[in-house]
Structure formats: C-alpha cells, structure tokens
Amino acid sequence: MAEERTAVVELRRDVTVWGSYMWGFADVGADTFVALGLVFAFSEGAAPLAFLLAGTVYILVGLAYTELASAYPVAGGGQYFALRGLGDFWSLVAGSALVLDYTLCTALFAYFAVTYFSHFVPALAEATLAIGPFEHVRVGLALATLLLIAFLTWLNVRGMRQASLLNELIGVLIILMESLIISMGLIFAWKPELLMAQWTETFANFHPRQFLYGASLAIISFVGLESISQAAQETRRPATIVPRTSIVLVFTVFLFAVSLSVLTLGTVRWEVFLDERNIGRSVAIVAGHLPWIGRVAEDVTAALAVLVLMLSSNSGVMSVSRVAFSMSRYDSISSWFEHVHPRYRTPARTIVIFSAIAALQVVLASLTESAIDTLANMYAFGATLGYTLVMVSLIRLRFTDPYTPRPYRVPFNIPIRREGTIIHVPILGIIGLAGITAVLVIVLFTHEIAAVAGPAWVLLSSLYYAWYRWRRGLPIFRSVPRHWEKEQMEVLEAAEEYDLLEQYRIALAERDRWRRRLNHEAGTIVE
Amino acid sequence: MSGGEVHISVVGVVLAAIFLASLGGMLWWMLHPPAPIGPAVARAYRGVSALKRILVPVKGTGYSDRAVELACRLGQEQQAELILTYVIEVPLSLPLNTPLDQEERRAREALERAVELVKLHNLKPIPVVRRDRDVGRGIVSVVADYDVDLVVIGLNPRRIAAGDSIGRGIETILRRAGVEVIIDMVPEE
C-alpha cells in the first residue's frame, strides 16, 4: 500500500442556506450572460429548443451532483466522485477535464466581462489588428482580458478572496435584475408573433448540424455544478442544506436560461447576434428593449454582467487550486502543487501556473476567427467529459457503495437485492448518462477545435500522470488502496451530520453481520 | 435607445406569472429546511431503526403473545426478523438430548401461535427450539448464535404481585445477553 496520507478534515464555515445557494449562483448564474448570444448565433430561431434540450440533460446531471455532493460532502467535486466510483485513473481524467474547464472558465468569463465592459467603452471591441496570417485579431479585447486575468491572479496570490457578502450581494442583484428583465419583458415587450415568425423561418430552412452545434454550446449555460460540491465542503449539515440549495440552483438556472431565450426570441431578431460584439453583451441588448426603462436597464445589466462575470472568472482561478490540491492529495499529481506561499499562505504556484494557461488560451483563441466561439467550444468539451464521468460514477457507486447514506437520491430507481442490501438502480441516472454522452459526441463531431485540443489535453495529462505514478512506484491503471469508510465517517462527523453517521455505521454493521450470517440457515432448528 | 415599444399579450402575462411563481416557490422551499438533529437524538432515532433481529421467548401464554405483538410493532418499519424461541429445560438428571414428547409438543404449539402472529404483520418469523439446563442461559445462547439486537420478554404480573423476584431466567438474560432487553408487564385489572 502506498504511503497513506491522513484525511484533512477542514473546519466548516457556517455557510447559510442562502450563502450556499449564492455560492453556486455566482458561478452558474453568470453562464446565461455568456451563452445566450452564442446559442442564438448558431441555433437561430430554435435557440429556446436548444436551451430546453441542453437544460434537460443539465437537470439530470444536476440531480446526480446533488446526490453525490450530499453523500460525499468533500471538495474536489467530479474528480473526487470519479475517484470513489471509478478509481484513480478515471479520477485523473475527470480532474484534467475539470482543470481544463476552470482555466477556460477564467479565460472565457474574463473575456466576456471585458466585452460587456465594451458596452461603455466601444473602442475596446473595435480595436483590431492583422498579425501575420491572422486578420482581425481583436487586440483591444484580448489585451484587456489578459490584464484582467493578471489582476485576478495577483489578487488570489495575495490571498484577498472575494468576500462571501459581496458574492451574495451581487447574486441578489443579478436575480432581481434578470427577474425584472424577464417579467417586464414578457408582459410589456414580448411579441408572440415575432417568436412564431422566427421559429417558423428557422424550421423552414433547418440546418440540423448547426442546431446541434448551438445545443451543445447551450450546455455552457449550465456549467458550474462543481460549485455544489465545493459549497458542500464548507457547509454545516450538508445533507440537509445541499440537496435544497442545489436542486433550487439547478432549476432556477434552467428557468432563467429557458425564459430568457423565449423572451429574446419574441423581442429581438436573432440576426442581431451574428455580430460578435453583440454576442458579448446579449443580455444587455435584450434589456435595452424594455419599454420606459430600456436605456437604464441596458446599462445596469451590462454593469452587473461585468461584475458577475469577473466573479465567475475569479471562481475559476480559486477553484482550480482546490481541484489541484485534491488531485495531489489522492496521488494524481505531484505534491509540488500543494505548496503554500510562505508569506501569503496561498497555493501561489497552482494559481500562477493555471492562470498562465488561461492567459495562453486567450492569446490562442484571439488568433482564431471568433475567440468567444473557440473558448466556448473547449469549455463545452471539458464540461461534458467531466459530467459524463460523474454520471458513470453515480451509477457505479450505487453498486459498489450502497452503504453510504444518500440524503438525496436521484428519483425513479429500480430496487434490487444484492449481498444482503438493497441497491437502487438509477433509471434517470442511466437516461442522464445517455444524454450527456450524446452531447459529448456532438461536441466531438461539431466542434473542430475542441475535438482535437480537448482530447490532446487529456492525453497530455494522462502521460504526466503515468510518469508521476511510475516515478513514485504507484500503479498506473489500478487504484491505490484507501480507507474510504474511515474517511467517510470523519467527513460526516466534521459536517455535523450525526444522523447520517449513525445510518452509515448501522449500514456497515448490517453488511458485516450479513457476511457472518451466510453460514446460518433460516427455519426451525431443533438442537 | 430609451427603450422598446409597449406590446402587451395575454400569453406573455401568463408566462411572466408562471416564471415569478416558480421562482418564488422554489426560493421559499429552499429557505425553509428542517431543524438539525443532535448526536444523541440521532443515535436514539437510528438505534431503533437498526433493530433488525428481535428475539421473543415464547411460552404459549397471553403474556408471551403480547410480547410477540409488541416486538412486531417495534420491527415493523425496518422489516425486522423475529426469532421466536422456546427453551426446553432439561433437568440435570437427564442427558440433554432426552426425548421429552410433551414438552416438544408444547413448544411446537406455542411457536405455531407466535409464527401466526408474526405473519399477520408480514414479517419473517424464525422459530427456534433450544434445549438447555436453564431457560435464561438458553435464550442467551440463541442471542449470540443469531446475532440478535433486542430481546422482548412478556412477564406474568402475578409472579411480581406474589412478591417474587422477576425470575432467575430473566436475570440471566439481563446480565449476560449483552443486547437491549425490553420487559413487558401489563398490570392485572
């Protein structure tokens, strides 16, 4: 057995229900600002359908995350679930997909924060340059994005984490603003005939490949489910709080995305989003169509979007260090990444390295025809790959670890008795797996850049992993034995989930007893 | 742009109402979680749920029938198994395997009655007949062999009313069973 590391059970902050919800919303809630214009640019009048399809898959994945995050309230998210469900190697694959997504989250959201900011400073979006074979490189947006990433990196290295209160305040403002835009827009500006006209035009000249491409991009409206598990790590009584906050997070984001796309289709011509500058401020454009307060709403929406996108970008910088820490703790990457800065007490190495990767992504994406499209492409790949592995983990853990209590269980299960215990075969989990796998296949077939760069990233990560494990004398494709039961009990105790802890102990005792009882026969025994 | 033109439609108003009601309803539900459970309460609550094998000594009397019924109620929710035990006390003057027809018939009848009672609750009865020199010791040995969680004993109130102690057998069970024991005694009218 490899050198065993003792489980680090962090002290939990007393994150409130609202705080836990906002933690997720600050991350996922910003996605709509990014995806709306993009999806319209490709799916045209069928954009609401694209959001609905992607949203349905996202709900199934979200429910899986809810179950796993409340059963295993440990930071690491998909990487940890894959470790528990599929073992070390697949945990590395999930972790590399997550790291890719977090660096892209930093790059993409910083880029979008700058494009929304260009609503106030149009010169930023208009500044273009021809660099060798690359024409129309948007240097203004690219340089401003690089500056923003550098600023966020500096902030995080210095340990000036965003205040939870600021998170909550901006989240509340976004919810209020989006609700105002949607409700006012539907009541006073929405034209059903415009929606029907655009819908009919699209289906009269339907391009399935383009629609599927848009639908696969719509999945980025729903990226950030990892925040659920990170919130679980920091929340007291996660078994009680996390299922509520995450289910509501999943459904509110779905509600916002679908409602906003329906509102947009009945308010604005989709062709508006063929201009990349408008893709980068799509929600503000919709807000501008509100009667009476249009101008003010447009400016306020753009300003709030800049703030929430900066928070999301910052959450990418912060979260990548958490995943790297978790990967290092479970022997997927070197402990070199765990190094803490002696002065600032932050994982400075991880922050700088992965922020540099994010900056490189911005530079490379800026050389392509559409930086936004390229970054979103890759973002969709990382998310779908990670989600696919989480869905497989959910199903497998139902069989391999039926003893861990699930305060929330994805509904619609077939109970089967196996080895003295009831195993709940998740029907929705299997449907969700089929759905997210289909999205992954669509991404690989329709996203030219992601189809090459995404797998290449995973391959490079796997090569590094193989080299690192070989050097440490650890198995490459097999898993290192671990004391999961002991760790699970420590986690539940630290989370103050005493009821779950009792359930877990009883379930383990039942299992042990069942094994002992195999020799006993039921029936009347006369001795 | 100072804003778009006003255009009100019934469908739009309905959609806006659905949107706001859904959002409000979800947030309200989220903000009202159940109260927390302390470690002691959790242990008591889950402890009873963990009673998966309940032993009832049966004698064919109304008191032991009542104990069987009580055990069934306790085990109902978690679908516990009921170990219905009749101990044939063999005197020291006889070998342990001596046939005792009358006593064995009594055991069969008592167990049949108890099994019927258990089946009324759709629970699994496991009837056991054990021979031992002492009733208490016999019960204790079944507790160990069957990995029992709880023993429910029906007590005859007349024995207590007559100034008896609760009996040597019960005392042995209380001292040596090593599991939870419930003694049920209904005072005589």
Side-chain angles (χ1 to χ4, degrees), chain A residues 169-186:
Chain A
L169 181 69
I170 291 172
V172 169
L173 288 174
I174 289 291
I175 287 177
L176 289 175
M177 194 67 212
E178 276 194 84
S179 302
L180 181 77
I181 292 168
I182 291 167
S183 53
M184 253 193 93
L186 285 171

Side-chain angles (χ1 to χ4, degrees), chain A residues 179 186 188 190 193 237 244 251 288 290-291 295 499 502-503 506 510 513 516-517 520 524-525 527, chain B residues 1 3-4 7 12 23 26 29-30 32 34 36 43 46 52-53 127 129-131 145-147 149:
Chain A
S179 302
L186 285 171
F188 297 113
W190 190 66
E193 59 277 14
R237 299 171 53 217
R244 282 176 179 259
F251 282 97
L290 293 179
R295 183 59 214 249
D499 190 31
E502 289 302 318
Q503 278 186 59
I506 288 165
E510 275 295 306
R513 168 187 287 180
R516 283 200 306 272
R517 276 187 197 163
H520 278 284
T524 304
I525 300 155
E527 295 125 331
Chain B
M1 189 197 294
H7 185 287
L23 186 65
M26 283 192 286
W29 175 77
M30 180 186 80
H32 292 79
R43 203 158 296 131
R46 291 293 163 190
K52 293 290 171 67
R53 286 202 157 189
V129 178
R130 180 146 299 189
R131 290 164 164 267
D145 291 350
Y146 284 84
D147 212 353
D149 302 306

Side-chain angles (χ1 to χ4, degrees), chain A residues 77-121:
Chain A
Q79 177 264 336
Y80 183 82
F81 305 147
L83 178 71
R84 294 293 303 261
L86 306 171
D88 291 15
F89 177 74
W90 289 107
S91 151
L92 174 274
V93 175
S96 69
L98 272 177
V99 166
L100 173 67
D101 241 26
Y102 280 133
T103 53
L104 282 160
C105 173
T106 306
L108 180 67
F109 285 90
Y111 197 91
F112 261 91
V114 171
T115 54
Y116 269 93
F117 185 69
S118 72
H119 173 79
F120 304 104
V121 188

Side-chain angles (χ1 to χ4, degrees), chain A residues 6-332:
Chain A
T6 48
V8 180
V9 181
E10 294 178 25
L11 281 175
R12 287 169 189 264
R13 290 191 296 139
D14 198 1
V15 176
T16 60
V17 180
W18 187 248
S20 172
Y21 171 76
M22 274 304 156
W23 187 315
F25 192 83
D27 194 354
V28 192
D31 293 346
T32 319
F33 289 85
V34 172
L36 188 74
L38 261 175
V39 176
F40 267 93
F42 292 101
S43 294
E44 304 172 3
L49 185 63
F51 277 108
L52 192 67
L53 288 176
T56 305
V57 172
Y58 152 79
I59 285 173
L60 295 174
V61 176
L63 295 181
Y65 262 93
T66 303
E67 175 175 327
L68 292 168
S70 54
Y72 307 99
V74 175
Q79 177 264 336
Y80 183 82
F81 305 147
L83 178 71
R84 294 293 303 261
L86 306 171
D88 291 15
F89 177 74
W90 289 107
S91 151
L92 174 274
V93 175
S96 69
L98 272 177
V99 166
L100 173 67
D101 241 26
Y102 280 133
T103 53
L104 282 160
C105 173
T106 306
L108 180 67
F109 285 90
Y111 197 91
F112 261 91
V114 171
T115 54
Y116 269 93
F117 185 69
S118 72
H119 173 79
F120 304 104
V121 188
L124 265 180
E126 284 154 15
T128 56
L129 202 68
I131 304 173
F134 308 106
E135 294 173 13
H136 305 298
V137 176
R138 295 189 186 279
V139 280
L141 291 175
L143 287 174
T145 305
L146 292 175
L147 277 174
L148 178 56
I149 291 172
F151 171 68
L152 293 175
T153 306
W154 176 77
L155 270 186
N156 281 279
V157 167
R158 293 291 301 263
M160 292 159 73
R161 290 184 56 177
Q162 65 201 55
S164 184
L165 188 66
L166 179 70
N167 232 12
E168 289 179 34
L169 181 69
I170 291 172
V172 169
L173 288 174
I174 289 291
I175 287 177
L176 289 175
M177 194 67 212
E178 276 194 84
S179 302
L180 181 77
I181 292 168
I182 291 167
S183 53
M184 253 193 93
L186 285 171
I187 295 169
F188 297 113
W190 190 66
K191 304 185 187 80
E193 59 277 14
L194 177 61
L195 180 138
M196 285 313 296
Q198 297 201 77
W199 179 271
T200 312
E201 284 165 24
T202 298
F203 281 98
N205 189 22
F206 190 58
H207 306 291
R209 188 187 164 89
Q210 216 172 307
F211 170 76
L212 286 176
Y213 184 79
S216 66
L217 282 177
I219 202 80
I220 70 170
S221 322
F222 309 116
V223 174
L225 287 166
E226 292 297 320
S227 58
I228 290 173
S229 51
Q230 296 207 3
Q233 167 84 5
E234 302 275 338
T235 307
R236 283 206 175 113
R237 299 171 53 217
T240 314
I241 303 300
V242 169
R244 282 176 179 259
T245 54
S246 59
I247 285 171
V248 172
L249 175 69
V250 165
F251 282 97
T252 48
V253 170
F254 175 77
L255 186 68
F256 277 127
V258 173
S259 306
L260 208 50
S261 66
V262 168
L263 170 68
T264 305
L265 196 62
T267 314
V268 187
R269 289 290 310 178
W270 70 263
E271 290 89 344
V272 166
F273 300 111
L274 290 174
D275 183 341
E276 188 168 317
R277 286 169 302 180
N278 291 338
I279 289 176
R281 52 189 197 93
S282 50
V283 181
I285 286 173
V286 177
H289 282 74
L290 293 179
W292 310 303
I293 59 164
R295 183 59 214 249
V296 176
E298 192 174 359
D299 289 349
V300 171
T301 303
L304 277 175
V306 171
L307 278 176
V308 79
L309 289 162
M310 272 176 66
L311 283 182
S312 275
S313 182
N314 191 46
S315 79
V317 178
M318 279 196 322
S319 302
V320 80
S321 56
R322 274 175 168 272
V323 175
F325 181 83
S326 179
M327 288 173 82
S328 149
R329 210 178 111 201
Y330 294 107
D331 305 301
S332 289

Side-chain angles (χ1 to χ4, degrees), chain A residues 341-499:
Chain A
H341 193 282
R343 186 171 160 199
Y344 302 123
R345 315 296 302 154
T346 55
R349 278 179 191 169
T350 309
I351 292 167
V352 170
I353 283 172
F354 290 110
S355 298
I357 291 172
L360 181 67
Q361 287 165 348
V362 171
V363 171
L364 294 175
S366 298
L367 299 177
T368 63
E369 203 174 321
S370 165
I372 283 175
D373 185 31
T374 305
L375 291 171
N377 239 290
M378 291 291 291
Y379 197 47
F381 169 81
T384 47
L385 176 61
Y387 289 173
T388 302
L389 289 171
V390 166
M391 293 310 287
V392 177
S393 303
L394 170 93
I395 296 164
R396 191 149 190 274
L397 279 164
R398 289 280 187 97
F399 287 88
T400 57
D401 185 22
Y403 313 105
T404 294
R406 269 99 170 146
Y408 171 79
R409 188 178 272 124
V410 178
F412 302 110
N413 303 288
I414 296 175
I416 56 169
R417 184 166 274 282
R418 186 166 167 263
E419 293 184 1
T421 191
I422 302 286
I423 289 175
H424 299 270
V425 182
I427 301 303
L428 280 188
I430 293 164
I431 294 169
L433 174 61
I436 196 67
T437 307
V439 178
L440 179 61
V441 170
I442 291 167
V443 167
L444 288 171
F445 276 94
T446 58
H447 298 227
E448 287 163 8
I449 292 170
V452 176
W457 169 272
V458 175
L459 183 68
L460 274 175
S461 307
S462 305
L463 289 173
Y464 163 79
Y465 166 85
W467 170 79
Y468 167 71
R469 300 272 285 205
W470 171 77
R471 249 196 55 200
R472 287 206 55 211
L474 299 173
I476 295 170
F477 293 107
R478 282 182 302 106
S479 300
V480 175
R482 299 180 213 281
H483 297 296
W484 289 128
E485 287 168 17
K486 183 168 165 278
E487 182 171 313
Q488 183 70 12
M489 284 188 198
E490 284 170 352
V491 165
L492 290 175
E493 191 148 15
E496 298 174 23
E497 283 295 355
Y498 304 112
D499 190 31

